[in-house]
Amino acid sequence: MAMEGQHIFTLNTSWNGDRNASGEITCGNLKTVVSIPEEMGGPGLGTNPDEMLLGAAATCYLISLATMLDLSKVKAKLHLHSEGIVEVEKSTFTYKKIIHHIKIVLENYNEKHIRIANRLALKAEQTCMISKALKGNVEIVVNCSIVES
């Protein structure tokens, strides 16, 4: 059921020192340590903004697709593997691309459900709130495979 109005999410954070230190974030049910990833010269403690952005994009896509399949009466299990591509040029890091590899396991494996699942796999990425927020800045690609349960 859709709810009208505005939704406000809040995040509280603290940082415990220099660039090689760590911090903590609390946001609703999420509570974790954050730091610069090892790949970017940091300590690699807890998670980091790059992983959180990938997690936000992946979970938003997955929930959007599950909702669309449910509304279309297509019963499926979903398995998602996502990759975030960050390019480094002259010490500048740029989040360039997210690739979602979605595997849709159909309960009723027939031509109609295959067609619907393929269409919705792409539509879910276009309608996901996080994908919309990233549009024009981060390319998002969907690779879909559909199999029988």
Side-chain angles (χ1 to χ4, degrees), residues 76-93:
K77 291 189 178 173
L78 307 174
H79 303 279
L80 180 63
H81 170 80
S82 296
E83 301 166 323
I85 312 299
V86 175
E87 287 185 359
V88 184
E89 188 175 316
K90 297 179 185 172
S91 299
T92 300
F93 297 91

PDB file of all heavy atoms in Angstrom, residues 76-93:
ATOM      1  N   ALA A  76       8.477 -16.081  -8.104  1.00  0.00           N
ATOM      2  CA  ALA A  76       9.894 -16.291  -8.414  1.00  0.00           C
ATOM      3  C   ALA A  76      10.743 -16.096  -7.176  1.00  0.00           C
ATOM      4  O   ALA A  76      10.353 -15.410  -6.232  1.00  0.00           O
ATOM      5  CB  ALA A  76      10.330 -15.320  -9.498  1.00  0.00           C
ATOM      6  N   LYS A  77      11.918 -16.709  -7.203  1.00  0.00           N
ATOM      7  CA  LYS A  77      12.961 -16.447  -6.222  1.00  0.00           C
ATOM      8  C   LYS A  77      14.048 -15.671  -6.960  1.00  0.00           C
ATOM      9  O   LYS A  77      14.322 -15.952  -8.130  1.00  0.00           O
ATOM     10  CB  LYS A  77      13.501 -17.744  -5.639  1.00  0.00           C
ATOM     11  CG  LYS A  77      12.485 -18.427  -4.763  1.00  0.00           C
ATOM     12  CD  LYS A  77      13.068 -19.588  -4.017  1.00  0.00           C
ATOM     13  CE  LYS A  77      11.949 -20.151  -3.152  1.00  0.00           C
ATOM     14  NZ  LYS A  77      12.272 -21.341  -2.487  1.00  0.00           N
ATOM     15  N   LEU A  78      14.638 -14.718  -6.272  1.00  0.00           N
ATOM     16  CA  LEU A  78      15.622 -13.854  -6.904  1.00  0.00           C
ATOM     17  C   LEU A  78      16.984 -14.010  -6.255  1.00  0.00           C
ATOM     18  O   LEU A  78      17.091 -14.086  -5.027  1.00  0.00           O
ATOM     19  CB  LEU A  78      15.173 -12.389  -6.803  1.00  0.00           C
ATOM     20  CG  LEU A  78      13.770 -12.082  -7.324  1.00  0.00           C
ATOM     21  CD1 LEU A  78      13.400 -10.638  -7.040  1.00  0.00           C
ATOM     22  CD2 LEU A  78      13.666 -12.387  -8.806  1.00  0.00           C
ATOM     23  N   HIS A  79      18.013 -14.061  -7.081  1.00  0.00           N
ATOM     24  CA  HIS A  79      19.399 -14.118  -6.613  1.00  0.00           C
ATOM     25  C   HIS A  79      20.146 -13.009  -7.345  1.00  0.00           C
ATOM     26  O   HIS A  79      20.175 -12.990  -8.579  1.00  0.00           O
ATOM     27  CB  HIS A  79      20.034 -15.477  -6.915  1.00  0.00           C
ATOM     28  CG  HIS A  79      19.272 -16.623  -6.315  1.00  0.00           C
ATOM     29  ND1 HIS A  79      19.406 -16.984  -4.995  1.00  0.00           N
ATOM     30  CD2 HIS A  79      18.361 -17.456  -6.848  1.00  0.00           C
ATOM     31  CE1 HIS A  79      18.605 -18.005  -4.745  1.00  0.00           C
ATOM     32  NE2 HIS A  79      17.957 -18.314  -5.854  1.00  0.00           N
ATOM     33  N   LEU A  80      20.741 -12.099  -6.584  1.00  0.00           N
ATOM     34  CA  LEU A  80      21.400 -10.945  -7.180  1.00  0.00           C
ATOM     35  C   LEU A  80      22.867 -10.874  -6.779  1.00  0.00           C
ATOM     36  O   LEU A  80      23.211 -10.997  -5.606  1.00  0.00           O
ATOM     37  CB  LEU A  80      20.679  -9.657  -6.750  1.00  0.00           C
ATOM     38  CG  LEU A  80      21.234  -8.341  -7.282  1.00  0.00           C
ATOM     39  CD1 LEU A  80      21.141  -8.282  -8.804  1.00  0.00           C
ATOM     40  CD2 LEU A  80      20.496  -7.167  -6.661  1.00  0.00           C
ATOM     41  N   HIS A  81      23.706 -10.677  -7.780  1.00  0.00           N
ATOM     42  CA  HIS A  81      25.130 -10.397  -7.575  1.00  0.00           C
ATOM     43  C   HIS A  81      25.377  -9.046  -8.237  1.00  0.00           C
ATOM     44  O   HIS A  81      25.108  -8.890  -9.432  1.00  0.00           O
ATOM     45  CB  HIS A  81      25.998 -11.493  -8.227  1.00  0.00           C
ATOM     46  CG  HIS A  81      27.446 -11.160  -8.255  1.00  0.00           C
ATOM     47  ND1 HIS A  81      28.257 -11.318  -7.165  1.00  0.00           N
ATOM     48  CD2 HIS A  81      28.221 -10.649  -9.241  1.00  0.00           C
ATOM     49  CE1 HIS A  81      29.481 -10.931  -7.483  1.00  0.00           C
ATOM     50  NE2 HIS A  81      29.484 -10.520  -8.736  1.00  0.00           N
ATOM     51  N   SER A  82      25.835  -8.064  -7.480  1.00  0.00           N
ATOM     52  CA  SER A  82      26.062  -6.728  -8.029  1.00  0.00           C
ATOM     53  C   SER A  82      27.524  -6.332  -7.878  1.00  0.00           C
ATOM     54  O   SER A  82      28.188  -6.712  -6.912  1.00  0.00           O
ATOM     55  CB  SER A  82      25.175  -5.697  -7.337  1.00  0.00           C
ATOM     56  OG  SER A  82      23.816  -5.961  -7.582  1.00  0.00           O
ATOM     57  N   GLU A  83      28.009  -5.566  -8.851  1.00  0.00           N
ATOM     58  CA  GLU A  83      29.381  -5.083  -8.843  1.00  0.00           C
ATOM     59  C   GLU A  83      29.372  -3.565  -8.975  1.00  0.00           C
ATOM     60  O   GLU A  83      28.639  -3.023  -9.796  1.00  0.00           O
ATOM     61  CB  GLU A  83      30.165  -5.671 -10.017  1.00  0.00           C
ATOM     62  CG  GLU A  83      30.208  -7.177 -10.017  1.00  0.00           C
ATOM     63  CD  GLU A  83      30.688  -7.764 -11.345  1.00  0.00           C
ATOM     64  OE1 GLU A  83      30.344  -7.209 -12.417  1.00  0.00           O
ATOM     65  OE2 GLU A  83      31.395  -8.775 -11.289  1.00  0.00           O
ATOM     66  N   GLY A  84      30.193  -2.902  -8.184  1.00  0.00           N
ATOM     67  CA  GLY A  84      30.370  -1.455  -8.295  1.00  0.00           C
ATOM     68  C   GLY A  84      31.741  -1.172  -8.872  1.00  0.00           C
ATOM     69  O   GLY A  84      32.745  -1.667  -8.359  1.00  0.00           O
ATOM     70  N   ILE A  85      31.794  -0.412  -9.950  1.00  0.00           N
ATOM     71  CA  ILE A  85      33.050  -0.116 -10.632  1.00  0.00           C
ATOM     72  C   ILE A  85      33.462   1.323 -10.307  1.00  0.00           C
ATOM     73  O   ILE A  85      32.751   2.271 -10.639  1.00  0.00           O
ATOM     74  CB  ILE A  85      32.916  -0.263 -12.177  1.00  0.00           C
ATOM     75  CG1 ILE A  85      32.226  -1.577 -12.561  1.00  0.00           C
ATOM     76  CG2 ILE A  85      34.264  -0.077 -12.855  1.00  0.00           C
ATOM     77  CD1 ILE A  85      32.919  -2.834 -12.146  1.00  0.00           C
ATOM     78  N   VAL A  86      34.612   1.468  -9.647  1.00  0.00           N
ATOM     79  CA  VAL A  86      35.152   2.778  -9.295  1.00  0.00           C
ATOM     80  C   VAL A  86      36.446   2.972 -10.082  1.00  0.00           C
ATOM     81  O   VAL A  86      37.334   2.124 -10.036  1.00  0.00           O
ATOM     82  CB  VAL A  86      35.430   2.882  -7.776  1.00  0.00           C
ATOM     83  CG1 VAL A  86      36.100   4.205  -7.434  1.00  0.00           C
ATOM     84  CG2 VAL A  86      34.144   2.707  -6.984  1.00  0.00           C
ATOM     85  N   GLU A  87      36.535   4.073 -10.817  1.00  0.00           N
ATOM     86  CA  GLU A  87      37.743   4.370 -11.579  1.00  0.00           C
ATOM     87  C   GLU A  87      38.604   5.368 -10.808  1.00  0.00           C
ATOM     88  O   GLU A  87      38.090   6.252 -10.131  1.00  0.00           O
ATOM     89  CB  GLU A  87      37.385   4.959 -12.953  1.00  0.00           C
ATOM     90  CG  GLU A  87      36.821   3.928 -13.899  1.00  0.00           C
ATOM     91  CD  GLU A  87      36.581   4.481 -15.298  1.00  0.00           C
ATOM     92  OE1 GLU A  87      36.825   5.683 -15.547  1.00  0.00           O
ATOM     93  OE2 GLU A  87      36.135   3.697 -16.143  1.00  0.00           O
ATOM     94  N   VAL A  88      39.920   5.196 -10.947  1.00  0.00           N
ATOM     95  CA  VAL A  88      40.869   6.092 -10.297  1.00  0.00           C
ATOM     96  C   VAL A  88      41.691   6.769 -11.389  1.00  0.00           C
ATOM     97  O   VAL A  88      42.290   6.106 -12.223  1.00  0.00           O
ATOM     98  CB  VAL A  88      41.825   5.328  -9.351  1.00  0.00           C
ATOM     99  CG1 VAL A  88      42.736   6.292  -8.617  1.00  0.00           C
ATOM    100  CG2 VAL A  88      41.041   4.460  -8.387  1.00  0.00           C
ATOM    101  N   GLU A  89      41.690   8.099 -11.363  1.00  0.00           N
ATOM    102  CA  GLU A  89      42.487   8.861 -12.315  1.00  0.00           C
ATOM    103  C   GLU A  89      43.052  10.077 -11.600  1.00  0.00           C
ATOM    104  O   GLU A  89      42.298  10.889 -11.057  1.00  0.00           O
ATOM    105  CB  GLU A  89      41.626   9.291 -13.505  1.00  0.00           C
ATOM    106  CG  GLU A  89      42.418   9.925 -14.620  1.00  0.00           C
ATOM    107  CD  GLU A  89      41.567  10.230 -15.842  1.00  0.00           C
ATOM    108  OE1 GLU A  89      40.759   9.377 -16.243  1.00  0.00           O
ATOM    109  OE2 GLU A  89      41.720  11.345 -16.369  1.00  0.00           O
ATOM    110  N   LYS A  90      44.382  10.188 -11.580  1.00  0.00           N
ATOM    111  CA  LYS A  90      45.063  11.305 -10.917  1.00  0.00           C
ATOM    112  C   LYS A  90      44.589  11.479  -9.469  1.00  0.00           C
ATOM    113  O   LYS A  90      44.215  12.565  -9.049  1.00  0.00           O
ATOM    114  CB  LYS A  90      44.875  12.594 -11.702  1.00  0.00           C
ATOM    115  CG  LYS A  90      45.477  12.553 -13.084  1.00  0.00           C
ATOM    116  CD  LYS A  90      45.239  13.853 -13.819  1.00  0.00           C
ATOM    117  CE  LYS A  90      45.761  13.714 -15.242  1.00  0.00           C
ATOM    118  NZ  LYS A  90      45.405  14.849 -16.077  1.00  0.00           N
ATOM    119  N   SER A  91      44.543  10.380  -8.720  1.00  0.00           N
ATOM    120  CA  SER A  91      44.130  10.367  -7.309  1.00  0.00           C
ATOM    121  C   SER A  91      42.680  10.776  -7.081  1.00  0.00           C
ATOM    122  O   SER A  91      42.285  11.090  -5.964  1.00  0.00           O
ATOM    123  CB  SER A  91      45.047  11.257  -6.464  1.00  0.00           C
ATOM    124  OG  SER A  91      46.370  10.781  -6.537  1.00  0.00           O
ATOM    125  N   THR A  92      41.879  10.782  -8.148  1.00  0.00           N
ATOM    126  CA  THR A  92      40.457  11.082  -8.019  1.00  0.00           C
ATOM    127  C   THR A  92      39.673   9.800  -8.246  1.00  0.00           C
ATOM    128  O   THR A  92      39.868   9.108  -9.248  1.00  0.00           O
ATOM    129  CB  THR A  92      40.021  12.155  -9.049  1.00  0.00           C
ATOM    130  OG1 THR A  92      40.786  13.338  -8.814  1.00  0.00           O
ATOM    131  CG2 THR A  92      38.547  12.473  -8.923  1.00  0.00           C
ATOM    132  N   PHE A  93      38.770   9.489  -7.309  1.00  0.00           N
ATOM    133  CA  PHE A  93      37.949   8.281  -7.388  1.00  0.00           C
ATOM    134  C   PHE A  93      36.574   8.665  -7.917  1.00  0.00           C
ATOM    135  O   PHE A  93      35.947   9.591  -7.412  1.00  0.00           O
ATOM    136  CB  PHE A  93      37.812   7.645  -6.006  1.00  0.00           C
ATOM    137  CG  PHE A  93      39.122   7.183  -5.428  1.00  0.00           C
ATOM    138  CD1 PHE A  93      39.884   8.029  -4.632  1.00  0.00           C
ATOM    139  CD2 PHE A  93      39.590   5.907  -5.691  1.00  0.00           C
ATOM    140  CE1 PHE A  93      41.093   7.613  -4.092  1.00  0.00           C
ATOM    141  CE2 PHE A  93      40.796   5.477  -5.160  1.00  0.00           C
ATOM    142  CZ  PHE A  93      41.555   6.324  -4.362  1.00  0.00           C
TER     143      PHE A  93
END
